[in-house]
Amino acid sequence: MGKSSKDKRDIYYRLAKEQGWRARSAFKLLQIDEEFNIFQGVNRCVDLCAAPGSWSQVLSKNLKSDDPATRPKIVAVDLQAMAPLPGVIQLQGDITKRSTAEQIVSYFEGQLADLVVCDGAPDVTGLHDMDEYIQAQLLLAALNITTHVLRPGGTFVAKIFRGKDISLLYAQMKVFFPVVTCSKPRSSRNSSIEAFIVCQDYTPPEGYIPTMLNPLLDLTYDEKNELTGVNRVIVPFVACGDLSGFDSDQTYPLPKGDGAEYSTLEPVQAPIRPPYQTYIDKKKRNELP
Ligand SMILES: C[S@@+](CC[C@H](N)C(=O)[O-])C[C@H]1O[C@@H](n2cnc3c(N)ncnc32)[C@H](O)[C@@H]1O
């Protein structure tokens, strides 16, 4: 018997079949709620990376609106289409794209969500560093959208991979949420580095203006749309490295591929490292433009 067929027969897989959940992941959200009570008082919710839709099912069944005349509003987003669910508005799109984020924001028509959940996972490549990196990018895209739609005091729950850079992600979440907890539901396989961060009491930094511009994720920003205020961080730029052999009053393009110009400072007496040595040799032989 192959490993995958054995895995599929675990208790949560069978329970999901019996109880009509679209995926065994439903139990992860249910168990997170058991521990953190995240559904209480939620009238509006966003389910990011929602397909095939078991988390949306859980939300649709468990959220109870304050006003019995209205259903809680749930917006579900995924790259893939998913079968319709009662009371769930679906949006097919990529959460790392600005246009998708804008559509989600527009669904809320100025009202803010009480809860944002994200069970996003890339197609795993098996290259752990790559998988962790893409997972972190999804998480940051989810956080970016969250800063637009979550009400102060609201909750954000997202899947993470507990890799070696996880403390950096925790630090990024702590900028926006005073209470950040890492949770591993029983239904999440022990063999997986998957876990969930439960970020509570959304409190953006004073003066923080949510922006769709995230240079990490969407390179379509331009000069007119520059980040401003506390969103704009300027770090010192320091040229370094061995510059011996360069004229102090001229600039030379870097070898092809670097896409930048290289300004010279005072020549320094230091051992010449190989890449520069080649460059300097070429310069001496007048082979450079
Ligand atoms: C583990 S599944 C989610 C399962 C879902 N929570 C459920 O309970 O049915 C991960 C989902 O993330 C989605 N996804 C991955 N990258 C995405 C992206 N950039 N934008 C939107 N969805 C994405 C995939 O299409 C996939 O459906």
Side-chain angles (χ1 to χ4, degrees), residues 240-260:
C240 55
D242 180 7
L243 303 172
S244 56
F246 289 82
D247 291 351
S248 58
D249 59 351
Q250 280 186 289
T251 60
Y252 297 100
L254 272 178
K256 210 171 168 191
D258 285 292

Side-chain angles (χ1 to χ4, degrees), residues 182-204:
C182 177
S183 166
K184 177 91 176 164
R186 283 185 309 280
S187 50
S188 174
R189 292 187 172 97
N190 282 340
S191 55
S192 164
I193 58 167
E194 165 194 273
F196 294 85
I197 37 166
V198 180
C199 306
Q200 292 168 293
D201 193 12
Y202 177 54
T203 314

Side-chain angles (χ1 to χ4, degrees), residues 66-200:
D66 291 341
D67 174 3
T70 57
R71 294 188 78 125
K73 195 169 190 176
I74 302 162
V75 177
V77 189
D78 203 285
L79 287 171
Q80 303 176 46
M82 63 186 218
L85 278 169
V88 178
I89 300 161
Q90 286 184 39
L91 172 60
Q92 195 173 351
D94 181 343
I95 68 157
T96 66
K97 289 278 182 299
R98 192 194 306 185
S99 55
T100 312
E102 280 164 351
Q103 278 177 279
I104 298 169
V105 173
S106 74
Y107 275 126
F108 279 90
E109 297 162 340
Q111 293 186 299
L112 294 172
D114 307 295
L115 172 67
V116 179
V117 295
C118 177
D119 189 26
D123 286 337
V124 175
T125 63
L127 300 169
H128 297 311
D129 286 351
M130 176 76 89
D131 293 337
E132 279 168 38
Y133 175 77
I134 300 171
Q135 181 68 29
Q137 292 300 296
L138 270 184
L139 178 63
L140 291 177
L143 176 66
N144 195 27
I145 289 168
T146 299
T147 62
H148 285 84
V149 297
L150 191 62
R151 68 164 169 81
T155 306
F156 173 55
V157 175
K159 191 201 311 267
I160 52 168
F161 284 171
R162 277 178 310 149
K164 60 183 179 333
D165 295 327
I166 194 61
S167 343
L168 175 62
L169 280 178
Y170 291 153
Q172 284 167 316
M173 297 301 140
K174 287 286 274 188
V175 172
F176 295 94
F177 297 89
V179 187
V180 176
T181 313
C182 177
S183 166
K184 177 91 176 164
R186 283 185 309 280
S187 50
S188 174
R189 292 187 172 97
N190 282 340
S191 55
S192 164
I193 58 167
E194 165 194 273
F196 294 85
I197 37 166
V198 180
C199 306
Q200 292 168 293

Side-chain angles (χ1 to χ4, degrees), residues 241-246 265-273 280 284:
D242 180 7
L243 303 172
S244 56
F246 289 82
L265 302 172
E266 286 297 308
V268 291
Q269 299 302 315
I272 296 172
R273 292 196 297 260
I280 290 160
K284 279 184 187 156

Side-chain angles (χ1 to χ4, degrees), residues 195-257:
F196 294 85
I197 37 166
V198 180
C199 306
Q200 292 168 293
D201 193 12
Y202 177 54
T203 314
E206 214 182 315
Y208 177 80
I209 303 162
T211 171
M212 292 297 181
L213 308 176
N214 187 338
L216 271 176
L217 304 166
D218 189 341
L219 298 174
T220 56
Y221 67 102
D222 56 32
E223 277 173 26
K224 274 180 274 158
N225 286 330
E226 273 190 343
L227 299 174
T228 55
V230 291
N231 292 331
R232 182 168 169 78
V233 176
I234 300 173
V235 297
F237 177 86
V238 178
C240 55
D242 180 7
L243 303 172
S244 56
F246 289 82
D247 291 351
S248 58
D249 59 351
Q250 280 186 289
T251 60
Y252 297 100
L254 272 178
K256 210 171 168 191

